[in-house]
Amino acid sequence: MTNFLIIQLPLFRPKYKKWKKYGYTNEKERENLKEALEESSDGYCMYCYTRIRVDGKLYANLEHAIEKSNSEKLKECIPNIGITCARCNQSLKKVGERKRKLTPSIIRTYEKESRCSLEKRKQCTVACKALRKLQKSYHKSCEGKIILQPMGVNGVNTGQPLALQYNVLNMEFEPAEECYTYSDTEKAFIESHIKRFRLNDPAYRTKSLFEFIKNVINSGGVIPEYEYNNWIVDKFCEQISGKNQKEILKICESIYPSLFLKA
């Protein structure tokens, strides 16, 4: 049963095609970038995991992990651009943005070491050493404890990817300690990320899994066929889909009382 109580949140790995051009300013390149990022996130926000494509329409923002206001080079830096819902991009991530503004000396070093040119842009889809170095400086700020997407972040102590998991019974996001071993500093970093995007706040946290499990029970163990609006439901459904109807019902009935108390 334990396997169904912890849901691992994925690390995003966009697949960029060599024969396509990606960018932020050019309309066609922008559409190509959105397509690649949406595919890598299965159509969900890279920060809060809510669906960004609804009824065939894409409700999403291209989001610069390290804000493009720091350097003109970051504007078209493909590895530095993710896809999110408008709330995460325009509201939650902006909190404390001024406090994590990088200093002119750090930016000068980045621009000097970066191989990209503003005059002749290089089609770069992998984070270079200069960008990773800039990212480390970004994280030193008290407001910079963000698991930037789609680059991802490795812990400073263990070197392991900083990732999240979802505790089904608690209906909460937490550090992915089922897969990785983190130091206290790294766990605090992940907790800061969770707090920033209000993933566990009662007013914001998703109740989609609770509704899904209730529907499964009401249908006698049949998995409902509808478009889930949160990745948590998608992954939970994936984990139980190999079971027969009776087993699925048993799993959901055992979980439901705990979820009901939290809902």
Side-chain angles (χ1 to χ4, degrees), residues 1-6 169 239 247 250-252 254-255:
M1 183 66 69
T2 305
N3 291 340
F4 305 106
L5 302 183
I6 297 293
L169 291 185
Q239 290 186 179
E247 290 174 319
K250 186 177 179 180
I251 290 168
C252 290
S254 67
I255 293 172

Side-chain angles (χ1 to χ4, degrees), residues 49-213:
Y49 311 103
T50 56
R51 184 168 290 284
I52 53 176
R53 182 173 289 278
V54 181
D55 196 23
K57 301 178 184 70
L58 185 64
Y59 296 91
N61 291 172
L62 287 180
E63 196 277 321
H64 289 78
I66 301 174
E67 290 80 10
K68 61 183 182 294
S69 58
N70 284 287
S71 170
E72 191 66 25
K73 281 192 173 187
L74 292 171
K75 191 174 190 178
E76 295 287 351
C77 180
I78 304 307
N80 187 52
I81 303 175
I83 194 165
T84 71
C85 68
R87 179 172 149 271
C88 283
N89 179 41
Q90 298 175 25
S91 178
L92 300 181
K93 189 164 177 281
K94 283 191 176 295
V95 175
E97 187 174 331
R98 289 184 180 180
K99 292 182 180 179
R100 58 179 184 267
K101 180 80 173 175
L102 294 163
T103 65
S105 62
I106 290 174
I107 292 301
R108 281 196 298 270
T109 300
Y110 160 70
E111 292 181 340
K112 182 180 178 181
E113 295 178 353
S114 170
R115 287 186 247 167
C116 296
S117 168
L118 294 177
E119 291 73 32
K120 189 175 181 180
R121 186 161 57 89
K122 184 180 179 182
Q123 179 77 345
C124 178
T125 56
V126 178
C128 64
K129 288 183 180 179
L131 183 60
R132 285 297 187 185
K133 184 177 177 181
L134 189 70
Q135 185 186 33
K136 288 180 180 178
S137 297
Y138 185 91
H139 291 319
K140 288 178 181 178
S141 161
C142 61
E143 291 289 344
K145 305 297 187 288
I146 304 171
I147 304 176
L148 301 176
Q149 299 298 348
M151 286 190 289
V153 181
N154 289 333
V156 294
N157 303 121
T158 65
Q160 300 202 68
L162 301 189
L164 279 65
Q165 63 188 30
Y166 188 79
N167 188 311
V168 172
L169 291 185
N170 292 336
M171 287 179 67
E172 288 186 345
F173 291 87
E174 57 190 25
E177 293 186 273
E178 286 283 312
C179 292
Y180 306 104
T181 301
Y182 296 124
S183 67
D184 289 341
T185 300
E186 291 166 343
K187 282 188 281 188
F189 188 115
I190 299 171
E191 293 290 355
S192 177
H193 174 92
I194 291 170
K195 185 177 179 180
R196 167 174 296 279
F197 293 103
R198 301 190 178 185
L199 298 179
N200 291 336
D201 283 16
Y204 286 85
R205 71 181 182 188
T206 178
K207 293 184 180 179
S208 297
L209 184 60
F210 171 76
E211 294 299 329
F212 172 82
I213 288 176

